[in-house]
Structure formats: structure tokens, C-alpha cells
């Protein structure tokens, strides 16, 4: 049984009543609930009395170091069986890391979320001392936005060389640099890592890190997710990375390369990966200037009968209507792609009409189509309406930030009313229509309880 409360604040009486009821819950989420030290003291006691409690989420509360110190008393109690602890954005500093080190080394915790806290170099080092303890059971560690440096990676490498239990590591948004990432990859290979997910987004790495990342991919068959977005690896770095992805030992399923300065030349490499890497299911190229030529290359990969890619993000990639016939042709022969993100590109009405034609193909099984902020008007709404009615697999359609007006909105509403429509979400952020048209929009949710207009 779960207790899930977000963005609520409690007076003393209400909190007392809530605490009394917490002994029956296995999962407690109190995200952004105005909690402080006194609340942590009560929760610390709860940790010792509720041995069924396995997950506690206290993210986005101003707990501070003193609050976490109070919480640690309960976490270190032998009766505490907690496995997952979320302390993201709790105003923590290095001062609490010594106590957390003890928790990591002596408790039943398998998952610890500490992102968005100013732990700094010394705080990160203290945590590593806990990780190296033979009693540490931690499998997932989230340290994004924690002011870590390359010195922390040196300490972490010492752990990874001897401990292979860690399965998920998030170091995104820390100023690590190439040398640190090289050392990290080498330690992971040396320690026969069983890591399943590595996140290094916005870590100030370049193509210089890609050889070691490639070697890591080649030698870590357990890895499923690699996220290195917002790092300027460029086409040259991508080419090196792709060598590791193509290695038969690499079983990666998710490859996020958003804002990596990849162009059409890089997409030619990725087309081969999409077409031949049968484990690959999810790729993000958001924010890369791939342009129409890059999209043409990617479509070649999507047409390959061996592709298993299910999700492709091409948002904000400088695409125009010129590439949409190729995308349409790829969709008409591809039966595995489930999600296509094309928002933020100036494909216009003509581009959307072409894409709708491909999605309507019997071979296409697309479930989610994102076209927001694509310079579209009511002109393409006939094609969109036809798609909504004729495509039973389609569950989610985004046309946000568009200028479809009353005419377009009403056409979409009529399509949703059709009994053949299986759409669950119609997303219309910052899309404006009159009060009269709004009556039709509101009426839809009453007609179809499982359907939702998201505005």
C-alpha cells in the first residue's frame, strides 16, 4: 500500500494523524511537502517501527543537514528495512555525508537519490568510503547536480575497480571533463562492471572521451542505457562511439545523444546502428543540427527490416517539410517504431500531411506522434483528423504551440468522437480557441472517460 502526497503542507494535528497511519505503508512519498527537522525526527522513529517500509521519498523539502542527521538515526537502526531513499533537492551539503556514508555501508539501502544537493568534492569522497565497504548493498546511486569534480571520480574509480554490484550511476550535470570520464570508463572495465545505466549528461566531455566510452560499451554487456546528452562530442566522437555500439558484446537499448553537435554526417553512422543493432530501442537526437539530409540518412536505418528501434526523438533538429516524404516512406514500411518526436521543427502543414500518410499505412504501428511547435495551421487538420479515426494504434498526439484555431480544433474533436478512435491523449499546450470551441473540447472527456485533452 502506497502513501503518495505531493505539494501539501501539514499543520501539527494533521501531521500527527498522518504519522500514526504510516505504519501500514510500504511506500511513502512526501515530495515538496514543507518538511523540516521535526518531521525527520518522527520519520526516523517510523523507520524503526515500520519494517514493511521499503521506499521513502522526501525530495524537494528543506530538510538540511540537521534533518538528514535525524533521519540517519532511524536508517542505522537494525529494524529499518528501507531499500530506496530519495533526498533530491533537500538543501544538503558535505556536512551530512559522513552520516550518509555510515548509512550506505551499514543499512539495507539499494537505491539512493541525492541529486540537486551541493555535496561538493569532500561530500562525494565521504560517500565513496561508504560504497567500498563490503556490507554496502547499493545498486543505484544518483548524484546529478551535486558539484562533483574529477577528484570525486578518482575516489569512485577506487570503488568501481573492486565492487561490481552497482547497476545504475547518474553523474550528470557535474563538471567532470574528459580525463575524469576516461578514468571512470577504465575503472568500470577493469572492475568487470555490471552497470546497466550510466548517465553523464552535461559533464563537459568531448570527442576525447569517446574512445574510452567505446571500449566500455564493448566490454560491458550488462549496459542497457547510456545517456551523454549536452556534451560536444561531434560527428568525430560519435563515429568512435558507434564502434563500441556495433560490437557484438554491446547490448545497449537506450542511447541518448541530445545536443551533442551531431550533423548529417553523424546521422549516416547512426543509420547503420539503427538498422543493424537489434538491441537498440530508444534514441534521442534532440537539439542536434541534423537537418533534412540527416533525417534522410536516419530514414534509411528505419527502413531496414532488422531495426528494432521503438522511440526516436528528432525534436529541434532543423528539419523542414523537405524531409517529410522520406519520413513518411520509412513509416509506411516500419512496423516496430512506437514513438516519434518531431516537434520544434518547421515542417509546416505540408510536412504534417506527408507524415500522416505514412502513419496511416497498415504496416505502421505508431502509438505516439509529437508535432508541437511545427508551424502548423488548420490546413493540416483534415489529415490529422483522418489519422485519429483510421489509426487504431495511435494513443498520443501532440499539436501544441500551433495555430489551428477553432476550425482545426473542431475537426480534431469530431475525429475523437468517432468510435474507431483509440486516442488517449490529445496535447494542445498554448493552442488557442474560442469559448464556443472550448465547449466541444470539454465535452470530449465526458464522452470518453479514458480520453484526456492536455492543455
Amino acid at each position: 500500500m502506497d502513501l503518495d502526497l505531493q505539494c501539501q503542507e501539514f499543520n501539527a494535528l494533521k501531521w500527527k494523524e498522518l504519522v500514526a497511519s504510516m505504519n501500514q505503508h510500504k511506500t511513502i512519498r512526501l515530495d515538496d511537502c514543507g518538511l523540516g527537522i521535526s518531521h525527520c525526527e518522527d520519520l526516523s522513529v517510523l523507520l524503526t517501527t515500520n519494517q514493511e517500509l521499503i521506499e521513502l521519498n522526501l525530495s524537494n523539502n528543506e530538510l538540511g543537514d540537521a534533518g538528514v542527521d535525524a533521519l540517519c538515526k532511524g536508517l542505522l537502526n537494525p529494524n529499518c528495512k528501507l531499500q530506496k531513499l530519495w533526498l533530491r533537492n533537500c538543501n544538503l551539503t558535505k556536512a551530512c555525508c559522513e552520516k550518509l556514508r555510515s548509512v550506505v555501508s551499514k543499512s539495507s539501502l539499494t537505491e539512493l537519490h541525492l541529486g540537486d544537493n551541493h555535496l561538493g568534492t569532500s561530500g562525494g569522497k565521504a560517500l565513496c568510503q561508504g560504497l567500498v565497504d563490503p556490507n554496502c548493498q547499493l545498486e543505484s546511486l544518483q548524484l546529478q547536480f551535486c558539484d562533483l569534480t574529477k577528484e570525486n571520480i578518482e575516489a569512485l574509480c577506487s570503488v568501481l575497480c573492486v565492487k561490481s554490484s552497482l547497476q545504475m550511476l547518474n553523474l550528470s550535470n557535474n563538471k567532470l571533463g574528459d580525463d575524469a570520464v576516461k578514468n571512470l570508463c577504465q575503472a568500470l572495465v577493469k572492475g568487470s562492471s555490471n552497470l546497466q545505466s550510466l548517465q553523464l549528461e552535461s559533464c563537459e566531455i568531448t570527442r576525447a572521451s569517446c574512445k574510452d566510452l567505446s571500449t566500455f560499451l564493448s566490454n560491458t554487456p550488462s549496459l542497457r542505457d547510456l545517456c551523454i546528452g549536452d556534451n560536444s562530442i561531434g560527428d568525430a566522437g560519435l563515429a568512435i562511439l558507434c564502434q563500441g555500439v556495433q560490437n557484438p558484446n554491446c547490448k545497449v537499448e537506450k542511447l541518448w545523444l541530445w545536443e551533442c553537435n551531431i550533423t548529417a554526417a553523424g546521422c549516416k553512422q547512426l543509420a547503420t546502428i539503427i538498422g543493424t543493432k537489434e538491441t537498440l530501442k530508444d534514441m534521442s537526437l534532440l537539439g542536434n543540427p541534423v537537418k533534412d539530409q540527416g533525417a534522410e540518412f536516419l530514414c534509411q536505418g528505419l527502413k531496414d527490416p532488422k531495426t528494432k528501434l521503438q522511440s526516436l526523438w528528432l525534436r529541434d533538429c532543423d528539419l523542414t517539410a523537405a524531409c517529410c516524404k522520406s519520413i513518411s516512406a520509412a513509416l509506411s514500411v516500419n512496423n516496430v517504431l512506437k514513438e516519434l518526436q518531431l516537434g520544434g521543427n518547421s515542417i509546416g502543414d505540408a510536412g504534417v500531411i506527408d507524415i500522416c500518410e505514412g502513419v496511416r499505412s497498415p504496416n505502421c504501428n505508431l502509438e505516439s506522434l509529437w508535432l508541437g511547435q511545427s508551424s502548423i495551421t488548420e490546413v493540416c487538420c483534415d489529415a490529422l483528423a483522418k489519422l485519429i479515426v483510421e489509426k487504431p494504434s495511435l494513443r498520443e498526439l501532440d499539436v501544441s504551440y500551433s495555430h489551428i484555431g477553432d476550425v482545426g480544433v473542431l475537426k480534431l474533436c469530431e475525429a475523437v468522437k468517432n468510435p474507431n478512435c483509440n486516442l488517449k491523449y490529445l496535447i494542445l499546450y498554448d493552442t488557442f480557441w474560442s469559448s464556443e470551441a472550448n465547449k466541444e473540447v470539454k465535452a470530449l472527456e465526458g464522452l470518453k472517460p479514458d480520453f484526456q485533452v492536455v492543455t
Side-chain angles (χ1 to χ4, degrees):
M1 188 173 177
D2 293 357
L3 174 66
D4 195 346
L5 301 173
Q6 296 185 37
C7 303
Q8 297 189 33
E9 294 200 13
F10 313 102
N11 59 36
L13 179 60
K14 189 174 180 182
W15 174 252
K16 187 177 180 180
E17 292 172 350
L18 185 63
V19 170
S21 71
M22 286 183 183
N23 269 313
Q24 59 186 315
H25 299 294
K26 290 185 176 182
T27 297
I28 295 175
R29 301 186 188 94
L30 298 169
D31 193 322
D32 194 13
C33 287
L35 305 186
I37 298 172
S38 63
H39 302 96
C40 289
E41 291 171 347
D42 292 334
L43 290 169
S44 182
V45 174
L46 177 74
L47 289 167
T48 67
T49 57
N50 182 356
Q51 296 187 39
E52 298 296 313
L53 185 61
I54 59 172
E55 180 174 348
L56 179 61
N57 188 338
L58 301 177
S59 295
N60 300 305
N61 290 290
E62 292 286 323
L63 306 182
D65 297 322
V68 170
D69 281 352
L71 201 64
C72 286
K73 293 176 184 177
L75 290 165
L76 290 167
N77 188 293
N79 291 327
C80 176
K81 307 301 180 187
L82 197 73
Q83 296 175 17
K84 300 177 182 181
L85 178 61
W86 296 64
L87 296 170
R88 185 168 182 173
N89 188 29
C90 287
N91 195 27
L92 309 184
T93 72
K94 62 182 181 181
C96 70
C97 289
E98 199 59 41
K99 288 283 180 67
L100 286 173
R101 176 194 66 77
S102 298
V103 169
V104 166
S105 62
K106 296 178 182 178
S107 72
S108 55
L109 276 188
T110 59
E111 190 172 319
L112 181 59
H113 296 254
L114 292 172
D116 293 279
N117 289 295
H118 300 293
L119 306 184
T121 303
S122 57
K125 286 182 176 179
L127 288 172
C128 283
Q129 292 172 15
L131 289 172
V132 80
D133 191 292
N135 295 315
C136 174
Q137 301 179 48
L138 212 62
E139 297 175 357
S140 177
L141 182 60
Q142 301 260 359
L143 293 171
Q144 68 273 32
F145 288 105
C146 283
D147 295 337
L148 304 184
T149 65
K150 62 181 182 181
E151 292 180 47
N152 292 116
I153 300 303
E154 292 170 8
L156 188 58
C157 286
S158 300
V159 176
L160 296 171
C161 283
V162 297
K163 201 172 187 73
S164 58
S165 59
L166 203 62
Q167 296 177 15
M168 196 283 170
L169 181 61
N170 188 345
L171 298 171
S172 295
N173 299 94
N174 291 292
K175 296 180 180 180
L176 305 182
D178 289 318
D179 289 341
V181 171
K182 285 182 186 180
N183 292 337
L184 177 67
C185 290
Q186 290 169 10
L188 287 166
V189 171
K190 183 179 178 181
S192 301
S193 166
N194 290 311
L195 209 63
Q196 295 179 14
S197 177
L198 178 61
Q199 298 184 35
L200 295 169
E201 297 174 332
S202 305
C203 284
E204 299 187 356
I205 59 180
T206 69
R207 61 175 286 188
S209 295
C210 290
K211 183 177 180 181
D212 290 287
L213 282 167
S214 182
T215 301
F216 168 61
L217 284 165
S218 299
N219 288 276
T220 314
S222 61
L223 192 74
R224 297 294 179 264
D225 300 349
L226 179 63
C227 303
I228 55 171
D230 197 23
N231 289 295
S232 295
I233 63 170
D235 296 329
L238 178 64
I240 298 167
L241 196 71
C242 285
Q243 293 173 16
V245 175
Q246 287 175 306
N247 189 292
N249 288 328
C250 175
K251 308 297 182 186
V252 72
E253 297 176 0
K254 177 181 176 180
L255 191 58
W256 277 29
L257 301 166
W258 57 275
E259 292 186 17
C260 283
N261 199 26
I262 295 168
T263 70
C267 290
K268 195 170 185 178
Q269 296 270 349
L270 289 173
T272 302
I273 298 294
I274 290 171
T276 60
K277 195 66 187 181
E278 295 189 23
T279 61
L280 189 64
K281 294 180 172 59
D282 186 346
M283 180 182 289
S284 173
L285 294 172
L286 181 151
N288 286 292
V290 306
K291 300 187 183 295
D292 293 330
Q293 185 182 11
E296 301 269 356
F297 287 136
L298 296 173
C299 287
Q300 294 173 18
L302 291 173
K303 286 180 179 179
D304 194 303
K306 294 188 295 295
T307 184
K308 295 291 186 277
L309 197 71
Q310 295 180 12
S311 176
L312 178 60
W313 286 48
L314 293 174
R315 184 176 181 85
D316 296 317
C317 285
D318 294 340
L319 308 184
T320 72
C323 68
C324 289
K325 285 191 183 297
S326 295
I327 294 174
S328 180
L331 291 170
S332 69
V333 297
N334 181 303
N335 63 5
V336 295
L337 196 69
K338 304 296 184 188
E339 179 182 26
L340 181 59
Q341 289 258 5
L342 291 172
N345 294 293
S346 297
I347 60 175
D349 296 317
V352 169
I353 291 168
D354 285 338
I355 287 165
C356 286
E357 185 177 346
V359 178
R360 287 203 310 273
S361 166
N363 291 318
C364 181
N365 292 312
L366 204 68
E367 296 177 1
S368 181
L369 178 61
W370 293 70
L371 300 167
Q373 214 166 359
S374 295
S375 304
I376 62 177
T377 71
E378 71 275 7
V379 173
C380 68
C381 286
D382 284 327
L384 287 170
K386 192 174 182 181
L387 179 66
I388 289 170
V389 172
E390 295 182 4
K391 199 66 200 176
S393 66
L394 195 66
R395 297 290 185 271
E396 190 173 35
L397 177 63
D398 173 39
V399 288
S400 299
Y401 304 96
S402 62
H403 301 284
I404 59 176
D406 281 13
V407 173
V409 166
L410 292 173
K411 286 179 180 179
L412 299 184
C413 287
E414 282 303 309
V416 171
K417 290 177 186 176
N418 190 293
N420 293 324
C421 167
N422 289 327
L423 204 66
K424 299 291 185 186
Y425 300 100
L426 178 60
I427 303 167
L428 296 168
Y429 288 120
D430 278 0
T431 301
F432 302 103
W433 53 83
S434 70
S435 56
E436 287 301 312
N438 195 53
K439 292 177 184 177
E440 292 294 322
V441 173
K442 293 296 182 185
L444 289 177
E445 295 185 7
L447 288 170
K448 292 194 167 185
D450 294 335
F451 173 77
Q452 184 178 350
V453 178
V454 182
T455 59

